C-alpha cells in the first residue's frame, strides 16, 4: 500500500494550518485524552487460528445497475491444530443464499447464523487437523450499501468498487476494481479476512466481451458465452493472504513486457497506451535488481500493473496484480516534472511482493515488516538507478514527513500492540520512520550482512505470517550479534534522539574531543553507532564510535589541526542535531564531504548567514551549480534576492539555469525566483518559457510574465487551455483570478471536475485558493458545491475538517473584504461569505454524523 493520499494530505495540513494560523482538531491530542481512549487499552494480538484457509474458488458476475456482485464460493479449509465442529467466516453486508458442505460432489446444507459481518457455521461433524473440508456459499455482495470506514491512507473500505457503471459521466471510463487492505476483501467474498491466513485461489469473472479482466496469478482460460459475455478464469497456485486477492475489469489497453520468461504487463486507459513504457518501462530492471540484492528471485508467475479511477489509496500490492491510482498515468511531458515519484510508487509496490506478499505481517501491529520495507525499497531503487544523492534526498523528505507528523499527532512505537483502529497503523511511523530505521540497520551491520539477513528472513518465512522478532532473529543469525538493543530502541519503542554536538581542540596535545549530548526530554537514552570523519588536507580518516550514554566524548589525535570533524559522516541517524562549529567548516564540508546531506546542511547554514557573511554567499553561488539537480533547486529556493550581494552573485547563474538547465525542476525554480524580481527585462525570458515542454516550466514562465504584463499573460493563457496539466492549471487559474473575467471561471471548474482520485484533493486546495480571490458569486457557489461533494466522496474526517476550516477562513476574508467596498460588490462578497460559512458548517456536521 502506497501512501499517496497520506503524503499529500500531511503536507497541506501542516503547511496550511500554519499559514492560516488556525488551531484545529487535527492538531495533537493531549496525552490525557489519548490515555482515556478505551480502544488503546486493547492488546491487538494476531488473530487466533481455529481453521486454516487452503483454497478459495470464486465464480462471480456483476450487476452494474445495482452495483451488486453475484458470487459462488467454494472454500477449502482444515482445522489449524485443535479439532473443531464450527467455522466463522468474515462476510460483510452480504445477502446469503445458500451454505452447504460439499461431499462426494453433492451440496449438503449446513446450519448457520449471520450478523451481517460474520457467518457462524455449524459443521456436520468435528474435523481433525488432518481432515480438510469444502464449504459452498452462494451470495450477493452489495458494497455500495455497506457502511465502511477508511483511514487517511485508505479513504474507503467497501472492498468492491463500480466506477461510472451506468456510463453517464463522459469524463470517466466504466471500471470495476477491488481493494482488500485492511480487511475489506470480505465485502466481496466470504473468507477468514486476516493477514495470518494464506491460501491458493481461482477466480472466474463473467464480463461483457468488450472489457478485459485482471486478477491474481495466471489467466488459464477464456470462454465466450451465448449471451454475449465472456468468462475469464485466473488461477493462483501459490498461497497468499485474502487481503491481497484482487479483480479489475475495464476497457484497458494491455502493453506487454517480459522478465526471465514471465509476463510483465501494463494495463492503462487507451489514451495512455503510447506512454505505458515511459511510465512502467523500468519494471523488468526493478525485478532483476530486487531479485539480485535479495538473493531471492521474484517468486510469482507474472507481474501486472493496472490503473483505477477514483482509487481510494495510492497503490496496492495485490499479489502479481498491483493496482495504482490514476495518478500513475502520465504523459511524457508530465513525467518531466515527476522527479521519479511514479517510479518510487512502482518500486514500493513491487518490493511488497517479497515483503508483504511472500512474508506477510501476522497482524496489523506488525505492519512494519510490510510497509517499512516497501518504503525503504524506494530508497534502494533510487540509489541504484539515479544515484545516492537522489536516494538521500528522498530519505530526507521522508524523515521530515515523519517529524512533522510527530509535531501534530505525537509519536508511537513502530510495532504497536495498542492502537485505536487498525487503519491508524498506516502512518508516517510505519512508512517513513520505518524506512529510515532500515537504513540505519543497514549502516550498522554493513551491506553484505544486511542483504544476507533479508535473504535468510525471506527463505525462513516464505508463504508464512511473520513479525518483527523474526526479522531480528535473522539479523542475529547472520551477524552473530545480539540485536535486541536496536529493535528495542527503534521497533518496540518510540521517539528519536536529539543530539547536541560540541568540540574541544587542544593544539598542544594535538587532539580534538567531540562531545555528544543527548538532550531529548524523554528519559530514554539511545545507543547510537555512527561514523566520525576527521578531515585534514583534503583527506578523511574514519572513526567508528558507539554512543550509549546521555553524554559521551570521543578524542582523536591529529598532526595538523583538522579542517572538519564530520559527525554522523554517513548521515543516516534519525535525529535532530544541533552542531556547534564555525561556518568555515561548513564551507569545507560542502567542497569535500561526499553525501547529499553534507552539502544540503552546508547550504542551509549558508542560507542562514547570507545576509552578513560573504563566504556564505560564495557557497550559495557554488551550490547553484551542484552536480545534483535537487540541490540546485533547493539552493534557488533559499536565495534572498533582496540582498544586493546575493543578487549580484546569483543573478547570472539563475539566468543560465532558467534558460538551459537539463532539469525542468531547476528551470522552473529559477524562473520563479526571477519572477519575484518583477523586472521587465526578463519579460521575453518568461514568454519563451511558456513554450517549454515541461508544464512546470510553462507555469513558472506564465506566472512571471503575469507579474509584468497581465494582458499578455492572459492572452497566452487562453492559448494554453487546450493542453494543461499540473502546475500549469494553477498558473492559468491564477492569471484568470487576477484578470477577473467571469467567462473564465468555467475553465477552473471544468479542470476540477476532470480531476479524480487522490489528485482531486490537491486540486481542491488550489480551487479554494482560486475562489478566495474572485468576486463572482455564481462561480464561488458552484466551486464550493464541487469541493463539498469531493469531501463526501473522500469521506475522510481529516480532509473534511481541513476543508471546512479553510472555507471558514475564506468566508471571514470575504466578509472583511466587503467592509472596504460598497454597493453591488459589497453585497456579492457578503453572499459569498455566507455561502462559504454555511458550507463549512455542513461539512463539519457531516463529520460528527
Amino acid at each position: 500500500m502506497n501512501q499517496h493520499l497520506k503524503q499529500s494530505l500531511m503536507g497541506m495540513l501542516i503547511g496550511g494550518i500554519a499559514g492560516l494560523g488556525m488551531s484545529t482538531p487535527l492538531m495533537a491530542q493531549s496525552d490525557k485524552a489519548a490515555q482515556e481512549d478505551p480502544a488503546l487499552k486493547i492488546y491487538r494480538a494476531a488473530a487466533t487460528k481455529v481453521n486454516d484457509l487452503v483454497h478459495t474458488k470464486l465464480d462471480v458476475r456483476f450487476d452494474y445497475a445495482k452495483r451488486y456482485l453475484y458470487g459462488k464460493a467454494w472454500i477449502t479449509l482444515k482445522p489449524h491444530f485443535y479439532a473443531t465442529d464450527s467455522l466463522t467466516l468474515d462476510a460483510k453486508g452480504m445477502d446469503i443464499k445458500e451454505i452447504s458442505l460439499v461431499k462426494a460432489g453433492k451440496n449438503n446444507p449446513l446450519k448457520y447464523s449471520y450478523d451481517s459481518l460474520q457467518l457462524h457455521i455449524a459443521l456436520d461433524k468435528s474435523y481433525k487437523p488432518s481432515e480438510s473440508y469444502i464449504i459452498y456459499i452462494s451470495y450477493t455482495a452489495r458494497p455500495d450499501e455497506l457502511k465502511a470506514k477508511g483511514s487517511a491512507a485508505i479513504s474507503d473500505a467497501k472492498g468492491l468498487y463500480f466506477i461510472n457503471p451506468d456510463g453517464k459521466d463522459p469524463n470517466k471510463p466504466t471500471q470495476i476494481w477491488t481493494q482488500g487492505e485492511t480487511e475489506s476483501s470480505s465485502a466481496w467474498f466470504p473468507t477468514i479476512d486476516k493477514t495470518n491466513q494464506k491460501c491458493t485461489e481461482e477466480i472466474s469473472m463473467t464480463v461483457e466481451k468488450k472489457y478485459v479482466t485482471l486478477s491474481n496469478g495466471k489467466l488459464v482460460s477464456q470462454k465466450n458465452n451465448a449471451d454475449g459475455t465472456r468468462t475469464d478464469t485466473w488461477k493462483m497456485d501459490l498461497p497468499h493472504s485474502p487481503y491481497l486477492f484482487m479483480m479489475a475489469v475495464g476497457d484497458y489497453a494491455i502493453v506487454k513486457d517480459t522478465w526471465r520468461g514471465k509476463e510483465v504487463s501494463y494495463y492503462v486507459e487507451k489514451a495512455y497506451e503510447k506512454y505505458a513504457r515511459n511510465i512502467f518501462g523500468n519494471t523488468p530492471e526493478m525485478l532483476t535488481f530486487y531479485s539480485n540484492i535479495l538473493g531471492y528471485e521474484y517468486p510469482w508467475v507474472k507481474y501486472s500493473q493496472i490503473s483505477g479511477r477514483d482509487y481510494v489509496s495510492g497503490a496496492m500490492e495485490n499479489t502479481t496484480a498491483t493496482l495504482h491510482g490514476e495518478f500513475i498515468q502520465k504523459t511524457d511531458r508530465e513525467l518531466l516534472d515527476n522527479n521519479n515519484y511514479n517510479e518510487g510508487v512502482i518500486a514500493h509496490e513491487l518490493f511488497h511482493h517479497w515483503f508483504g506478499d511472500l512474508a506477510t505481517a501476522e497482524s496489523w501491529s506488525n505492519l512494519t515488516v510490510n510497509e517499512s520495507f516497501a518504503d525503504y525499497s524506494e530508497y534502494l531503487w533510487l540509489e541504484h538507478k539515479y544515484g545516492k544523492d537522489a536516494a538521500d534526498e528522498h530519505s530526507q523528505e521522508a524523515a521530515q514527513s515523519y517529524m512533522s507528523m510527530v509535531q501534530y499527532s505525537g509519536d508511537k512505537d513502530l510495532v504497536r500492540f495498542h492502537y485505536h483502529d487498525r487503519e491508524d497503523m498506516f502512518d508516517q511511523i510505519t512508512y517513513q520512520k520505518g524506512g529510515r530505521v532500515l537504513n540505519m540497520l543497514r549502516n550498522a551491520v554493513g551491506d553484505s550482512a544486511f542483504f544476507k539477513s533479508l535473504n535468510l528472513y525471506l527463505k525462513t518465512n516464505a508463504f508464512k505470517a511473520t513479525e518483527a522478532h523474526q526479522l531480528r532473529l535473522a539479523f542475529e543469525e547472520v551477524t552473530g550479534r545480539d540485536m535486541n538493543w536496536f529493535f528495542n530502541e527503534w521497533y518496540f519503542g518510540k521517539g528519536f534522539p536529539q543530539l547536541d554536538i560540541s568540540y574541544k581542540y587542544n593544539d598542544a596535545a594535538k587532539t580534538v574531543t567531540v562531545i555528544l549530548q543527548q538532550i531529548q526530554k524523554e528519559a530514554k537514552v539511545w545507543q547510537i553507532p555512527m561514523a566520525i570523519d576527521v578531515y585534514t588536507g583534503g583527506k578523511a580518516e574514519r572513526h567508528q564510535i558507539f554512543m550509549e550514554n546521555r553524554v559521551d566524548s570521543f578524542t582523536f589525535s591529529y598532526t595538523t589541526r583538522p579542517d572538519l570533524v564530520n559527525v554522523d559522516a554517513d548521515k543516516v541517524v534519525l535525529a535532530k542535531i544541533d552542531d556547534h562549529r564555525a561556518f568555515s567548516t561548513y564551507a569545507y564540508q560542502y567542497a569535500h564531504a561526499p553525501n547529499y546531506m553534507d552539502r544540503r546542511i552546508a547550504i542551509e547554514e549558508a542560507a542562514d548567514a547570507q545576509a552578513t557573511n560573504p563566504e556564505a554567499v560564495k557557497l550559495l553561488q557554488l551550490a547553484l551549480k551542484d552536480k545534483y539537480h535537487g540541490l540546485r533547486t533547493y539552493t534557488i529556493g533559499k536565495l534572498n534576492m533582496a540582498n544586493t550581494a546575493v543578487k549580484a552573485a546569483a543573478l547570472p547563474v539563475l539566468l543560465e539555469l532558467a534558460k538551459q538547465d537539463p532539469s525542468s525542476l531547476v528551470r522552473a525554480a529559477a524562473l520563479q525566483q526571477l519572477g519575484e524580481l518583477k523586472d521587465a527585462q526578463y519579460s521575453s525570458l518568461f514568454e519563451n518559457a511558456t513554450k517549454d515542454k515541461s508544464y512546470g516550466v510553462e507555469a513558472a514562465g506564465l506566472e512571471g510574465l503575469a507579474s509584468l504584463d497581465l494582458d499578455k499573460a492572459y492572452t497566452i493563457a487562453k492559448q494554453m487551455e487546450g493542453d494543461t496539466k499540473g502546475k500549469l492549471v494553477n498558473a492559468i487559474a491564477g492569471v484568470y483570478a487576477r484578470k477577473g473575467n467571469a467567462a473564465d471561471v468555467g475553465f477552473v471548474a471544468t479542470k476540477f471536475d476532470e480531476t479524480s482520485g487522490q489528485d482531486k484533493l490537491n486540486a481542491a486546495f488550489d480551487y479554494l485558493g482560486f475562489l478566495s480571490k474572485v468576486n463572482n458569486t455564481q462561480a464561488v457557489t458552484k466551486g464550493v458545491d464541487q469541493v463539498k461533494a469531493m469531501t463526501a466522496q473522500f469521506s475522510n474526517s481529516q480532509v473534511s475538517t481541513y476543508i471546512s476550516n479553510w472555507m471558514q477562513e475564506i468566508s471571514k476574508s470575504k466578509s472583511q473584504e466587503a467592509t472596504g467596498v460598497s454597493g453591488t460588490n459589497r453585497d456579492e462578497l457578503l453572499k459569498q461569505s455566507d455561502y462559504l460559512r454555511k458550507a463549512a458548517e455542513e461539512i463539519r456536521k457531516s463529520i460528527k454524523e
Side-chain angles (χ1 to χ4, degrees):
M1 173 67 67
N2 185 271
Q3 282 190 305
H4 185 67
L5 168 61
K6 186 79 170 182
Q7 292 166 344
S8 299
L9 179 63
M10 273 301 301
M12 294 193 180
L13 292 181
I14 297 298
I17 290 171
L20 291 172
M22 296 189 303
S23 176
T24 79
L26 292 168
M27 303 307 284
Q29 294 181 352
S30 68
D31 289 339
K32 182 179 178 182
Q35 290 168 3
E36 290 175 353
D37 184 348
L40 293 179
K41 295 181 172 65
I42 302 170
Y43 180 78
R44 308 289 185 173
T48 300
K49 298 172 77 172
V50 177
N51 288 281
D52 288 342
L53 294 170
V54 176
H55 182 71
T56 299
K57 180 181 178 181
L58 302 174
D59 186 342
V60 303
R61 60 194 63 227
F62 307 98
D63 187 326
Y64 285 80
K66 292 182 178 179
R67 295 167 171 79
Y68 284 0
L69 175 149
Y70 302 116
K72 298 176 182 178
W74 294 264
I75 308 169
T76 305
L77 306 105
K78 64 177 182 178
H80 179 71
F81 184 81
Y82 300 103
T84 183
D85 59 1
S86 63
L87 168 67
T88 298
L89 294 175
D90 299 296
K92 298 184 177 75
M94 295 179 182
D95 183 6
I96 304 298
K97 307 291 186 182
E98 178 188 348
I99 298 182
S100 299
L101 182 75
V102 181
K103 273 193 174 179
K106 293 184 179 180
N107 290 352
N108 301 288
L110 294 173
K111 294 181 179 180
Y112 67 92
S113 62
Y114 182 43
D115 61 5
S116 82
L117 294 177
Q118 288 187 318
L119 287 164
H120 302 280
I121 303 168
L123 302 176
D124 64 325
K125 66 168 191 171
S126 180
Y127 284 82
K128 300 175 183 178
S130 59
E131 297 178 287
S132 64
Y133 59 92
I134 300 173
I135 300 294
Y136 168 76
I137 303 176
S138 176
Y139 65 97
T140 300
R142 301 172 296 182
D144 276 35
E145 298 172 19
L146 183 67
K147 300 296 183 184
K149 181 176 73 72
S151 67
I154 311 166
S155 65
D156 198 70
K158 293 191 298 186
L160 173 67
Y161 297 80
F162 291 83
I163 307 303
N164 196 25
D166 50 18
K168 289 182 179 179
D169 188 338
N171 297 316
K172 283 184 189 176
T174 297
Q175 296 176 350
I176 296 172
W177 46 259
T178 61
Q179 168 56 39
E181 196 171 40
T182 49
E183 296 176 9
S184 299
S185 286
S186 50
W188 63 275
F189 67 95
T191 189
I192 304 175
D193 208 351
K194 302 299 178 185
T195 63
N196 60 1
Q197 289 284 341
K198 294 201 173 192
C199 68
T200 54
E201 162 203 342
E202 181 178 323
I203 299 180
S204 295
M205 285 180 271
T206 298
V207 299
E208 293 180 56
K209 287 182 180 178
K210 65 181 179 180
Y211 295 132
V212 301
T213 67
L214 178 64
S215 187
N216 314 101
K218 195 169 185 177
L219 180 62
V220 294
S221 73
Q222 289 188 302
K223 177 186 174 183
N224 290 320
N225 304 314
D227 62 358
T229 62
R230 187 187 72 251
T231 300
D232 291 355
T233 299
W234 295 82
K235 193 172 182 182
M236 184 80 170
D237 290 329
L238 295 175
H240 65 146
S241 296
Y243 78 92
L244 297 165
F245 284 33
M246 76 86 71
M247 300 184 298
V249 181
D251 188 15
Y252 291 96
I254 307 174
V255 178
K256 292 193 175 183
D257 221 328
T258 59
W259 179 79
R260 296 182 183 175
K262 296 181 179 182
E263 178 188 332
V264 175
S265 52
Y266 320 125
Y267 288 62
V268 293
E269 294 174 28
K270 290 180 177 177
Y272 289 89
E273 182 175 6
K274 62 183 177 181
Y275 305 114
R277 292 189 186 277
N278 299 76
I279 300 166
F280 297 110
N282 282 334
T283 301
E285 185 181 343
M286 287 182 189
L287 283 160
T288 299
F289 171 61
Y290 288 145
S291 294
N292 288 347
I293 63 169
L294 294 172
Y296 196 115
E297 186 163 309
Y298 177 79
W300 311 100
V301 69
K302 71 139 185 342
Y303 189 55
S304 299
Q305 295 175 85
I306 190 169
S307 67
R309 287 290 187 106
D310 295 345
Y311 185 46
V312 295
S313 186
M316 181 64 207
E317 65 275 10
N318 309 299
T319 317
T320 77
T322 287
L323 174 60
H324 294 279
E326 67 186 271
F327 72 88
I328 205 74
Q329 296 185 139
K330 284 184 167 54
T331 66
D332 55 351
R333 292 188 67 189
E334 290 177 278
L335 288 171
L336 289 173
D337 303 325
N338 192 245
N339 201 27
N340 304 317
Y341 177 79
N342 273 25
E343 283 198 35
V345 175
I346 292 167
H348 180 115
E349 304 309 328
L350 175 57
F351 207 68
H352 266 309
H353 282 71
W354 287 269
F355 294 89
D357 296 6
L358 180 66
T360 308
E362 69 165 9
S363 68
W364 301 116
S365 294
N366 272 279
L367 184 60
T368 179
V369 299
N370 289 10
E371 293 299 349
S372 299
F373 275 104
D375 182 274
Y376 189 51
S377 76
E378 301 169 30
Y379 182 98
L380 294 172
W381 171 251
L382 291 172
E383 181 184 38
H384 163 77
K385 185 67 175 177
Y386 300 104
K388 195 169 184 301
D389 283 349
D392 286 345
E393 177 184 53
H394 184 78
S395 187
Q396 168 66 4
E397 290 171 354
Q400 288 179 329
S401 176
Y402 156 66
M403 289 183 176
S404 294
M405 190 220 74
V406 169
Q407 287 183 324
Y408 100 95
S409 66
D411 210 349
K412 305 172 186 71
D413 294 352
L414 186 53
V415 176
R416 248 168 287 163
F417 292 102
H418 295 273
Y419 51 73
H420 176 81
D421 188 280
R422 60 179 179 264
E423 305 293 346
D424 298 340
M425 291 298 300
F426 294 80
D427 60 11
Q428 276 85 345
I429 297 169
T430 297
Y431 286 75
Q432 285 82 4
K433 180 181 183 179
R436 312 295 63 75
V437 169
L438 286 168
N439 198 34
M440 288 188 290
L441 182 56
R442 175 186 174 188
N443 186 264
V445 301
D447 276 16
S448 179
F450 180 76
F451 290 111
K452 190 171 183 179
S453 298
L454 298 191
N455 172 268
L456 177 62
Y457 169 80
L458 290 171
K459 286 181 176 178
T460 305
N461 298 289
F463 307 108
K464 297 177 184 176
T466 185
E467 58 179 306
H469 282 301
Q470 286 159 310
L471 180 66
R472 173 183 59 82
L473 291 171
F475 273 86
E476 290 186 344
E477 183 170 338
V478 168
T479 64
R481 303 174 186 172
D482 184 287
M483 298 299 296
N484 275 293
W485 65 271
F486 185 91
F487 279 77
N488 287 341
E489 279 185 349
W490 293 107
Y491 282 86
F492 302 101
K494 64 181 180 179
F496 53 87
Q498 297 185 44
L499 302 180
D500 183 271
I501 307 173
S502 58
Y503 309 83
K504 286 185 178 179
Y505 288 88
N506 186 332
D507 288 331
K510 301 289 186 182
T511 60
V512 56
T513 299
V514 180
I515 303 164
L516 299 175
Q517 298 185 66
Q518 297 188 35
I519 60 172
Q520 61 270 10
K521 294 179 181 177
E522 298 80 7
K524 179 178 181 177
V525 177
W526 298 77
Q527 299 179 67
I528 310 170
M530 70 176 85
I532 296 179
D533 284 350
V534 179
Y535 283 81
T536 306
K539 294 182 179 180
E541 182 180 356
R542 172 151 294 198
H543 304 272
Q544 296 290 348
I545 63 101
F546 193 88
M547 184 181 188
E548 52 188 334
N549 299 298
R550 178 68 70 167
V551 180
D552 276 328
S553 62
F554 303 90
T555 300
F556 309 107
S557 300
Y558 58 80
T559 54
T560 304
R561 187 177 177 119
D563 300 296
L564 167 66
V565 177
N566 192 11
V567 178
D568 184 24
D570 291 323
K571 297 295 181 283
V572 295
V573 178
L574 182 62
K576 286 186 177 178
I577 296 175
D578 193 3
D579 199 351
H580 304 283
R581 49 190 169 95
F583 180 79
S584 61
T585 65
Y586 290 104
Y588 187 93
Q589 178 174 306
Y590 180 82
H592 294 88
N595 291 316
Y596 166 89
M597 284 305 299
D598 289 316
R599 286 150 34 227
R600 177 173 171 136
I601 290 168
I603 292 166
E604 290 171 353
E605 292 291 327
D608 290 343
Q610 64 185 304
T612 58
N613 190 335
E615 294 304 311
V617 176
K618 288 181 182 179
L619 193 156
L620 292 173
Q621 190 177 29
L622 281 174
L624 287 172
K625 296 182 179 181
D626 193 275
K627 64 179 181 177
Y628 179 57
H629 71 82
L631 284 178
R632 298 198 297 276
T633 303
Y634 183 73
T635 304
I636 291 168
K638 289 290 186 178
L639 295 173
N640 177 11
M641 296 296 283
N643 182 290
T644 305
V646 174
K647 183 178 178 181
L651 194 54
V653 187
L654 277 178
L655 287 168
E656 181 183 347
L657 296 176
K659 292 174 184 177
Q660 58 188 31
D661 194 277
S663 167
S664 66
L665 301 176
V666 175
R667 297 199 302 278
L671 287 163
Q672 288 168 353
Q673 188 67 273
L674 291 169
E676 294 295 322
L677 300 177
K678 295 181 173 55
D679 191 329
Q681 68 173 310
Y682 304 128
S683 180
S684 61
L685 174 67
F686 297 137
E687 187 173 351
N688 288 336
T690 64
K691 302 178 182 68
D692 197 277
K693 191 174 182 181
S694 155
Y695 290 117
V697 173
E698 280 191 316
L702 185 65
E703 289 168 348
L705 183 61
S707 69
L708 301 173
D709 189 339
L710 182 59
D711 290 337
K712 181 177 280 189
Y714 178 78
T715 300
I716 292 174
K718 297 299 290 183
Q719 296 167 355
M720 291 172 134
E721 278 191 6
D723 184 10
T724 58
K725 299 277 188 179
K727 292 182 179 179
L728 184 56
V729 175
N730 305 336
I732 292 174
V735 170
Y736 289 172
R738 290 177 60 188
K739 192 68 175 174
N741 290 346
D744 296 325
V745 171
F747 167 82
V748 186
T750 300
K751 283 295 176 183
F752 183 75
D753 273 341
E754 290 175 355
T755 308
S756 60
Q758 309 306 322
D759 290 336
K760 203 171 189 84
L761 175 64
N762 301 311
F765 292 114
D766 295 329
Y767 198 4
L768 286 173
F770 170 78
L771 296 175
S772 71
K773 298 173 185 175
V774 297
N775 184 5
N776 182 308
T777 303
Q778 184 179 359
V780 170
T781 54
K782 178 180 178 179
V784 168
D785 288 346
Q786 288 174 283
V787 174
K788 188 167 69 170
M790 183 216 72
T791 63
Q793 176 191 350
F794 272 98
S795 188
N796 180 285
S797 62
Q798 291 185 348
V799 171
S800 296
T801 299
Y802 187 61
I803 293 291
S804 172
N805 285 335
W806 200 355
M807 283 185 175
Q808 276 192 326
E809 291 298 311
I810 298 172
S811 172
K812 292 175 184 176
S813 176
K814 284 186 178 287
S815 179
Q816 182 63 33
E817 188 181 350
T819 63
V821 294
S822 59
T824 303
N825 283 337
R826 179 179 181 277
D827 294 342
E828 294 303 308
L829 283 167
L830 289 174
K831 287 179 186 176
Q832 295 162 33
S833 174
D834 188 55
Y835 199 81
L836 280 154
R837 179 184 56 78
K838 290 178 179 177
E841 291 171 355
E842 290 171 7
I843 293 171
R844 181 168 278 107
K845 184 180 178 182
S846 72
I847 299 170
K848 297 176 181 177
E849 294 173 349

